Amino acid sequence: MLVFVDRIRAALTEATGLPSDQIRVEQPRDAALGDFAFPCFPLAKVKRAAPPAIAAELAGELNANLPGIEAVATGPYINFRVDRTLLATTVVESILDQDSAFGTSQEGAGKTIVIDFSSPNIAKPMHVGHLRSTIIGASIQRMHDALGYKTVGVNHIGDWGSQFGKLCAAIARWGDELDLDNDPIPALLALYVRYHEEEEADPSLADEARAAFRELESGAEGKIRDTWKRLTELSLRELNKIYERLGVSFDLIRGESFYESMLDQTVERIESTGITSISEGALVVDLSEFDKKLPPCLLRKTDGTTLYATRDFAAVFHRWEEFAFERCLYVVAAQQKLHFRQMKIVLERMQLDWVERVEHIDFGMLRLGEGKMSTREGKIVFLEELLDRAVSEARTIVSEKNPDLAKSADVAEIVGIGAVIFHDLKKERIKDVVFDWNEVLSFEGETGPYVQYTHARLASILRKAEALGEGGAEADYSRLDEAAPILLALGRFPDVIRSAAQHCEPSEIAQYLLSLCRETSSWYSRERVLGQEPSLTAARLSLVRCAKLVIGKGLQLLGVVAPDEM
Ligand code: ARG
């Protein structure tokens, strides 16, 4: 944490000769033991002594070298406790100095991270898997932004494939009955389903659909291509409504169709490495050598058309050439594990030395507690409906809690959407998310509204102080003893961002915020901030300012708006 960990590491290096990257400074399991701990086990071999003996011996030397930090040997551990005034002064001053830049760094400068996220399919309702990808991916992008990386958020829209042949053919047949200007997606979905059904009775429909897709793939201008373009535009218009509400944007919107012209080259490039073969007329890369259970990766079908995978190869080659990325992240549901595994093995077999940089950032499913979210049961909850319901329930709760609130409609939007996002991000991404409305929107417990509410409470203390003209005195930081857990947590924030970005795990930030908010609210329910001795009030107000800043910044990284009032 901040300078303390670095100082402890440096002193340990000096005392033991261990390189500093091998020195793991941890948080003691029991906070009463100290603020930081160093387990002496790694030294046992070199020193030929038992860890407790090493700890006892080292503690004395460390004490002499670490002014303001007390080292105590406890069993095999050395525990460190920072002097409380030093802790408060260092943390508060460094946060207030850096203001909203606190926690950010430039350690990623000069490196590019490509993040493929959201990536829904056009002419279909965006489903909950895409919602999760959007929320998780955008957060991963913001964390890397905070660390100074150049980030490229790509929306790899599914706008290509035989299904569009079908849809264009359907529109050619029945399009006149259609009003696509209002709410086009359900109408398109219904049209697609109808075509599918009528096709069974009348096989000529299937031929028409194939012909339409062939025409699309040929690149020819004409009615079919115009229809497809219109579909793309309409879909993007609808998608943008959702992105706007979620506060998400992209650096590149590049659908699969973008790679159309590169597909021949892509297939040739893979073929030229000698790893392809023909299987039942299709061009494939056999993968059974690596894993007997792995099906071959299909590059070109018997009829010459390409596939999702082919377009993903074109995309990754193109991205590597354009960005020479440090990491290329695919924020895609765990259902596509097989696809990305196949893709990585093919890249490995091509002996590309950047394979390691390609990562599937997978995540679990989102289910409604009431179980009506899946398309399989024939009932689709449109995402907009989900967001609308969250907002309308938030409106009820907010107006109950705070009937006099100005701009309560804006606050309800912030709270409703924030609740959905936070609920999605608070658990490890690989876990499934179950939506229980009461839990999602509760002001207590592990929820977005709870964190937002803590932020608003801190803002309200600051407003009151301002109105009363308090906080102008010089702060006496020796009096923030009882706030040590908050100060320690605040100081960890930069490490939390770093670790969350490294693991692509927004839940690390969400969990951190929950624990910071718990510490903070328990503190302000115990200690009065306003109306104390001026130097004490000033110190406590500084702490309030710092906590508000870090909670606000943490929420921002998750994509949740931090309200000053609610
Ligand atoms: N459109 C795909 C789907 O909805 C997701 C695409 C993910 N990105 C990628 N490069 N494959 O399943």
Side-chain angles (χ1 to χ4, degrees), residues 178-200:
L178 222 60
D179 170 20
L180 288 179
D181 287 319
N182 293 307
D183 212 8
I185 304 298
L188 287 170
L189 187 68
L191 202 65
Y192 185 78
V193 171
R194 176 174 169 195
Y195 203 85
H196 210 65
E197 282 165 7
E198 298 205 7
E199 199 177 48
E200 311 236 305

Side-chain angles (χ1 to χ4, degrees), residues 107-326:
E107 62 188 67
K111 296 180 187 145
T112 302
I113 311 280
V114 176
I115 307 147
D116 179 319
F117 71 105
S118 194
S119 307
N121 304 315
I122 63 165
K124 275 202 200 164
M126 180 166 165
H127 69 65
V128 287
H130 299 123
L131 175 70
R132 289 213 71 193
S133 172
T134 307
I135 291 173
I136 297 169
S139 175
I140 292 173
Q141 177 163 22
R142 289 186 209 97
M143 295 185 238
H144 283 91
D145 284 336
L147 299 175
Y149 291 93
K150 171 185 156 81
T151 61
V152 185
V154 191
N155 196 345
H156 187 80
I157 305 251
D159 62 355
W160 208 247
S162 49
Q163 69 272 33
F164 297 108
K166 204 175 271 188
L167 199 53
C168 289
I171 292 173
R173 266 181 186 252
W174 308 308
D176 298 341
E177 308 161 23
L178 222 60
D179 170 20
L180 288 179
D181 287 319
N182 293 307
D183 212 8
I185 304 298
L188 287 170
L189 187 68
L191 202 65
Y192 185 78
V193 171
R194 176 174 169 195
Y195 203 85
H196 210 65
E197 282 165 7
E198 298 205 7
E199 199 177 48
E200 311 236 305
D202 179 358
S204 75
L205 267 74
D207 295 336
E208 257 174 66
R210 262 194 297 275
F213 187 52
R214 254 198 314 277
E215 184 174 334
L216 264 184
E217 283 217 300
S218 76
E221 293 297 332
K223 215 165 163 207
I224 296 287
R225 204 169 183 85
D226 289 345
T227 306
W228 171 78
K229 279 188 198 153
R230 174 116 195 276
L231 290 177
T232 312
E233 280 161 19
L234 286 172
S235 301
L236 279 176
R237 203 175 70 197
E238 294 304 302
L239 289 168
N240 279 334
K241 288 188 199 162
I242 292 179
Y243 293 142
E244 214 167 284
R245 287 182 90 176
L246 294 173
V248 167
S249 59
F250 300 88
D251 301 292
L252 296 172
I253 295 190
R254 273 191 191 160
E256 293 183 36
S257 63
F258 177 83
Y259 303 98
E260 224 347 64
S261 66
M262 302 165 212
L263 293 179
D264 287 342
Q265 252 164 279
T266 301
V267 172
E268 275 161 31
R269 179 168 173 184
I270 302 174
E271 268 185 308
S272 74
T273 60
I275 60 173
T276 54
S277 53
I278 302 288
S279 165
E280 297 170 30
L283 185 72
V284 305
V285 180
D286 185 78
L287 304 170
S288 59
E289 208 184 297
F290 292 82
D291 182 339
K292 281 200 193 59
K293 289 188 291 268
L294 220 52
C297 178
L298 226 67
L299 296 177
R300 203 168 46 209
K301 288 196 273 191
T302 325
D303 65 4
T305 52
T306 56
L307 296 111
Y308 178 57
T310 327
R311 295 185 282 276
D312 249 338
F313 283 115
V316 80
F317 295 154
H318 190 265
R319 286 173 192 173
W320 173 250
E321 261 134 49
E322 188 171 3
F323 300 114
F325 47 73
E326 181 76 8

Side-chain angles (χ1 to χ4, degrees), residues 536-550:
L536 179 58
T537 285
R540 287 184 177 164
L541 276 172
S542 295
L543 182 69
V544 168
R545 214 165 268 128
C546 292
K548 174 178 177 284
L549 212 113
V550 170

Side-chain angles (χ1 to χ4, degrees), residues 383-434:
L383 279 189
E384 260 184 295
E385 281 172 28
L386 175 92
L387 298 179
D388 285 344
R389 173 156 174 202
V391 170
S392 103
E393 301 207 6
R395 191 172 304 135
T396 314
I397 299 174
V398 167
S399 63
E400 259 167 35
K401 298 232 173 208
N402 191 348
D404 307 324
L405 186 64
K407 298 208 189 127
S408 66
D410 294 350
V411 174
E413 175 83 12
I414 287 173
V415 172
I417 305 281
V420 172
I421 296 178
F422 195 90
H423 187 71
D424 189 300
L425 296 180
K426 80 175 180 187
K427 280 202 289 180
E428 273 173 85
R429 59 177 152 75
I430 197 63
K431 303 237 169 86
D432 288 352
V433 173
V434 181

Side-chain angles (χ1 to χ4, degrees), residues 32-44:
L33 290 169
D35 306 330
F36 305 99
F38 173 69
C40 293
F41 307 103
L43 291 169

Side-chain angles (χ1 to χ4, degrees), residues 112-114 144 325-329 357 359 501-504:
T112 302
I113 311 280
V114 176
H144 283 91
F325 47 73
E326 181 76 8
R327 297 171 94 180
C328 179
L329 308 170
R357 302 177 183 218
E359 295 172 57
Q502 178 58 38
H503 303 135
C504 294

